[in-house]
Amino acid sequence: MTFNAAALLLLILGLALIGWLAGRARSAMLAGRSGKKLHSRPQYHGWYVALWLFVPAAIFLAIWSSVSPGLITNQVLASPAAESLPAFGFERSAILSDARDVAQGKAAKVRLPAAAPLVEPYAAATHRYAWIGIAAMLALALAGGLYAFTRIRPDFRARTRVERIVMALLLLASLVAILTTFGIVLSLLFESLRFFSLVPMRELLFGTHWNPQSGAPVADTFGGIPLFWGTVLIGAIIAMIVAIPIGMMSAVYLTQYAAPTVRKWVKPMLEILAGVPTVVYGYFAALTVAPALRNFAVAIGIPNASTESALAAGVVMGVMIIPFVSSMADDSINAVPQAMRDGSLALGATPNETIRQVLIPAALPGVMGGILLAVSRAIGETMIVVMAAGLSANLTANPFASVTTVTAQIVKLLTGDQEFDSAKTLAAFALGLVLFLVTLLLNIVALRIVKKYREAYE
Amino acid sequence: MTQDDLSIADPKMRAQGVSVFYGEKQAINDVSIDVGTDLVTAFIGPSGCGKSTFLRSLNRMNDTIAGAKVTGTIELDGEDIYAPSMDVVQLRARVGMVFQKPNPFPKSIYDNVAYGSRIHGLASSKADLDGIVERALTRAGLWDEVKDRLTESGTALSGGQQQRLCIARAIAVDPEVILMDEPCSALDPIATAKIEELIHELRGKYAIVIVTHNMQQAARVSQRTAFFHLGTLVEYGKTTDIFTNPKAERTKDYITGRYG
């Protein structure tokens, strides 16, 4: 007997269906007998019973599924057979999981001899907690269902109650994303604080030498400036030099010049660019653009041109951001009232003059917001820079040299076997926190600008 | 259509047999009208009668609407404005337009008025441009109200001031004709009175065509009135005649408030 959450969920769904039918039937019957008019239509009474039956039991099921393995393990550890286990570490957990797999039928027989005596206690504990869980869940479901069932009366306001429960469920759903983000920030924060207890914050933010060594922190190896500079060079300078003019011009073309049929085809195609996985752009940057740029640099006599260059990563990232800038600029230009455009044309301005002198200045705040959002995306972008920009932390303004970015270094620090308490690994969290705060700030500023601008024309 | 006793010897604009189509839909059917040089001409009629559409065909603003097509001839000083040789940019500099809702550009008051002059290169120096801006604002009756804050945004003015700014903007290009598309419909009565006063003062300097819903306004500001209904020109004549002695039954019904 194991605790199968999926089957149990189906079971309470079935019970909820019965509750729904019963609630509906009872409300109709009570109304018919008393001759009173029902406040809510019968199916609302049905939903009321079904929700009371299902929701508490489902919540219990979710909690129990995550809690019970721990309870089972505790019971096993309390058994006499567990006394011979090694005290800590990898071996101990391997033995435990081996025994658990056999006890729960996932493996035919034990691989580690030490696990054999634990199989029996594991099976017993699993069995016991499965029964406790099922019994508690069913009791909760029935109690909820009965409570709701007995409250049904013709004048009972089932509809109001159901609406309120539905509202609560919707609220819960919207909180999931927010709470998750909050949790991520907290975990980033705690790991970062651990890092800053090993390495001063001043060094990470203002140090100019980045060469993290494994193990103990060595002075002057966690200077983040080369990474921040690389990030800015690629994401905020080179990528934007590519994306802003091309994105703006394509938006102007699409909103002002393109025939409706052209717009109908070109706009979705541009938006498809936004859906290309970034790893594909990474290939393109590393295998096509980077070698071509290097050959070009060598041909025009630039020394120390590298195959991994800031320029290759930045240009491809700019191409990736084009649809984003273009679509934000498109929205802003479209939001400028037609009257403004007519006013300019009626004074004898050409379409080109109208765009340059009236539409773009009027759309500028919205466009600026879009550009800031694009920058915040570009500096958080990982795959292209990992594949094309390289990993050597150079503090250089030469776009043909190899630079590295915050995201690329986070990947480098966290891939492979790592100890999660070395300064080197913890540095990844501190970098992540810096990146998170910067992009958060950019997003807040950008959204404020966009919002303020929208209000101006309503 | 009745058109006797219209002593316009030398019309500024002459429309003959004009029809306007939006795609399949015909908005204007066979309209012929003369616009006098020093007169204010009012177009009246119920909503959807085509008076604004017709007005917009006088400076080819209908060109900006996809699928719009104009047939017949419209002449400005005897020159066909739909002829291939006509430069629409120059046409619009000669035939200015003021819109229903004030639409100042999100620029300073000065830059709003200077916009057209800069585009057409009318001023040779900064002092010249200052003069153009001052004259236009003075003519539009706005100079005294804004002379100390020319660098403030045009959108910060009140609705009535914005509309006079738009008139100043149109005047600054030194047009020959000014088209006004319900210029007071978004304004309060006091601002409206100011605009009407302004129209009086501008009469004689520019040929003015005004579309209005407000029949009292047409009676107050215009010398000629054209009554449009369902895309046709029902009656065109001296304003006093149209309002005191309309010839067509539909005109009479409209101005006495039986419909519209």
Side-chain angles (χ1 to χ4, degrees):
Chain A
M1 181 71 210
T2 57
F3 189 75
N4 186 336
L8 291 172
L9 194 68
L10 274 179
L11 177 68
I12 53 172
L13 270 177
L15 287 176
L17 179 66
I18 296 170
W20 188 83
L21 292 169
R24 195 179 65 154
R26 180 171 157 89
S27 66
M29 188 195 76
L30 285 177
R33 195 194 290 159
S34 65
K36 276 193 215 149
K37 203 166 169 295
L38 275 175
H39 168 268
S40 308
R41 292 170 64 206
Q43 63 259 45
Y44 279 109
H45 293 274
W47 277 114
Y48 183 66
V49 175
L51 284 169
W52 259 108
L53 204 152
F54 179 78
V55 174
I59 291 173
F60 173 79
L61 190 61
I63 295 172
W64 189 253
S65 301
S66 60
V67 167
S68 65
L71 295 174
I72 293 169
T73 309
N74 281 346
Q75 188 185 334
V76 172
L77 292 178
S79 72
E83 277 163 17
S84 59
L85 271 176
F88 294 106
F90 179 73
E91 208 187 341
R92 176 184 162 100
S93 52
I95 293 170
L96 280 173
S97 78
D98 197 16
R100 185 175 64 229
D101 285 352
V102 176
Q104 298 180 351
K106 286 176 195 150
K109 60 183 196 333
V110 290
R111 282 175 291 123
L112 305 165
L118 286 174
V119 171
E120 196 46 44
Y122 240 117
T126 306
H127 188 73
R128 178 165 161 228
Y129 281 106
W131 276 117
I132 292 176
I134 292 169
M137 188 199 75
L138 283 179
L140 209 56
L142 292 178
L146 273 176
Y147 167 73
F149 191 72
T150 52
R151 293 187 76 188
I152 293 176
R153 267 177 206 85
D155 59 354
F156 178 64
R157 305 189 164 214
R159 174 165 42 77
T160 327
R161 304 296 173 116
V162 169
E163 301 278 359
R164 213 177 291 161
I165 296 173
V166 169
M167 196 200 74
L169 287 178
L170 296 179
L171 177 70
L172 205 68
S174 55
L175 281 180
V176 167
I178 296 173
L179 291 179
T180 310
T181 315
F182 202 65
I184 293 170
V185 175
L186 279 185
S187 80
L188 261 184
L189 198 64
F190 284 126
E191 300 295 337
S192 303
L193 286 178
R194 283 176 65 193
F195 174 75
F196 289 130
S197 70
L198 296 172
V199 175
M201 189 187 288
R202 184 171 24 95
E203 185 180 340
L204 181 77
L205 293 182
F206 303 111
T208 55
H209 185 236
W210 175 263
N211 186 22
Q213 308 292 322
S214 194
V218 180
D220 199 26
T221 56
F222 286 102
I225 291 287
L227 314 189
F228 302 144
W229 166 245
T231 307
V232 168
L233 180 66
I234 292 178
I237 300 176
I238 299 175
M240 290 305 131
I241 288 175
V242 173
I244 292 172
I246 299 182
M248 285 294 294
M249 285 191 272
S250 79
V252 166
Y253 172 73
L254 286 176
T255 54
Q256 304 300 316
Y257 291 101
T261 41
V262 176
R263 186 178 160 87
K264 206 176 89 192
W265 284 98
V266 174
K267 204 170 171 346
M269 275 166 73
L270 205 58
E271 276 158 10
I272 285 171
L273 271 183
V276 175
T278 55
V279 67
V280 176
Y281 282 107
Y283 281 129
F284 178 60
L287 299 182
T288 311
V289 179
L293 282 173
R294 194 188 84 94
N295 293 342
F296 172 73
V298 168
I300 62 170
I302 292 174
N304 68 28
S306 151
T307 20
E308 295 176 323
S309 68
L311 197 57
V315 165
V316 174
M317 197 186 283
V319 171
M320 186 190 82
I321 297 289
I322 287 171
F324 197 73
V325 172
S326 157
S327 125
M328 290 293 292
D330 192 317
D331 290 349
S332 314
I333 292 175
N334 267 331
V336 177
Q338 177 71 22
M340 208 79 87
R341 195 172 152 229
D342 281 354
S344 172
L345 292 175
L347 285 169
T350 63
N352 185 9
E353 286 162 342
T354 303
I355 290 162
R356 277 189 292 116
Q357 306 205 14
V358 176
L359 291 183
I360 290 183
L364 204 59
V367 172
M368 282 306 297
I371 288 171
L372 285 185
L373 285 180
V375 170
S376 109
R377 270 185 76 154
I379 66 175
E381 162 53 36
T382 310
M383 219 50 227
I384 294 174
V385 288
V386 167
M387 295 173 79
L391 291 168
S392 51
N394 292 324
L395 194 52
T396 170
N398 176 4
F400 292 102
S402 166
V403 299
T404 191
T405 67
V406 174
T407 49
Q409 284 304 315
I410 293 176
V411 170
K412 189 188 174 195
L413 292 171
L414 289 183
T415 42
D417 290 334
Q418 297 290 345
E419 290 172 48
F420 269 76
D421 46 7
S422 76
K424 191 182 164 192
T425 313
L426 290 173
F429 293 99
L431 287 177
L433 185 70
V434 172
L435 192 64
F436 174 83
L437 290 178
V438 170
T439 52
L440 184 73
L441 194 73
L442 278 175
N443 283 359
I444 290 174
V445 171
L447 291 177
R448 281 195 81 126
I449 292 176
V450 170
K451 193 172 157 226
K452 206 169 162 191
Y453 162 73
R454 291 268 150 79
E455 282 164 359
Y457 287 120
E458 270 161 17
Chain B
M1 190 193 123
T2 49
Q3 197 174 347
D4 47 16
D5 191 30
L6 274 181
S7 48
I8 299 178
D10 182 23
K12 189 72 195 168
M13 295 194 86
R14 163 168 278 172
Q16 276 174 318
V18 172
S19 297
V20 182
F21 301 85
Y22 291 132
E24 295 291 296
K25 198 176 145 272
Q26 184 166 8
I28 288 285
N29 184 17
D30 192 21
V31 169
S32 299
I33 215 166
D34 285 354
V35 174
T37 304
D38 43 14
L39 297 176
V40 176
T41 307
F43 291 174
I44 61 169
S47 299
C49 69
K51 55 195 190 302
S52 289
T53 298
F54 183 67
L55 188 79
R56 290 170 66 94
S57 65
L58 294 180
N59 68 343
R60 294 185 53 178
M61 279 305 283
N62 282 332
D63 290 12
T64 63
I65 299 166
K69 193 169 91 104
V70 178
T71 62
T73 59
I74 301 177
E75 291 171 352
L76 173 65
D77 286 338
E79 208 181 336
D80 183 1
I81 66 168
Y82 283 89
S85 59
M86 173 57 75
D87 180 1
V88 68
V89 162
Q90 277 174 10
L91 169 71
R92 289 183 190 146
R94 290 171 68 188
V95 183
M97 189 162 199
V98 175
F99 294 83
Q100 197 168 346
K101 239 181 100 190
N103 57 349
F105 304 132
K107 298 170 180 287
S108 73
I109 293 170
Y110 185 95
D111 286 342
N112 261 285
V113 182
Y115 184 80
S117 306
R118 282 184 175 143
I119 279 173
H120 299 294
L122 298 182
S124 53
S125 66
K126 173 81 171 87
D128 212 3
L129 190 60
D130 289 348
I132 288 173
V133 169
E134 179 174 350
R135 267 198 305 284
L137 282 170
T138 309
R139 278 202 177 169
L142 197 59
W143 176 250
D144 290 334
E145 291 163 60
V146 301
K147 65 183 174 204
D148 299 323
R149 45 179 182 139
L150 291 173
T151 54
E152 278 176 34
S153 173
T155 52
L157 296 171
S158 74
Q161 288 174 324
Q162 285 188 14
Q163 195 60 300
R164 279 182 284 149
L165 179 64
C166 292
I167 294 174
R169 191 171 72 182
I171 291 172
V173 190
D174 203 17
E176 295 158 36
V177 184
I178 299 177
L179 309 175
M180 298 187 176
D181 188 0
E182 300 186 33
C184 303
S185 63
L187 305 181
D188 65 42
I190 293 170
T192 299
K194 281 202 172 141
I195 302 276
E196 287 181 9
E197 206 177 298
L198 178 58
I199 293 172
H200 271 300
E201 282 160 19
L202 296 177
R203 183 196 152 196
K205 301 187 183 86
Y206 312 96
I208 294 174
V209 183
I210 176 170
V211 163
T212 177
H213 256 116
N214 180 333
M215 279 176 289
Q216 285 76 26
Q217 185 172 63
R220 282 193 299 264
V221 302
S222 72
Q223 290 76 51
R224 294 286 181 277
T225 296
F227 171 62
F228 285 79
H229 188 227
L230 301 176
T232 58
L233 178 61
V234 177
E235 189 165 352
Y236 179 42
K238 286 184 172 166
T239 300
T240 44
D241 292 345
I242 297 275
F243 281 96
T244 55
N245 189 20
K247 296 194 172 59
E249 199 61 31
R250 277 194 285 175
T251 317
K252 198 163 152 188
D253 288 348
Y254 181 69
I255 61 174
T256 54
R258 206 158 296 171
Y259 67 91

